[in-house]
Amino acid sequence: MWRKSSYSPDGNNCVEIGVGVGVRDSKAPAAHMPVSPSAWEAFLSSAKSGHFGGGTL
């Protein structure tokens, strides 16, 4: 099951996350980038700590 980003203003141009599947662009749903659960958790942890530009999630 794919979930759209809550940061997408209109729900069309966004990143979608598939638990146990990966990440895809909502404009090209046929293709996706596989991401393991541990890699996704590491990415979220880094993003929340401001590693990618100081923003907060």
Side-chain angles (χ1 to χ4, degrees):
M1 177 173 161
W2 294 93
R3 292 180 43 202
K4 291 184 185 258
S5 169
S6 62
Y7 290 93
S8 177
D10 62 8
N12 293 321
N13 296 318
C14 61
V15 172
E16 296 177 323
I17 307 304
V19 177
V21 180
V23 179
R24 71 181 183 183
D25 183 336
S26 64
K27 295 181 302 293
H32 72 277
M33 179 176 67
V35 179
S36 70
S38 60
W40 182 248
E41 288 297 322
F43 168 77
L44 288 180
S45 177
S46 294
K48 288 177 182 179
S49 70
H51 185 77
F52 302 114
T56 58
L57 293 179

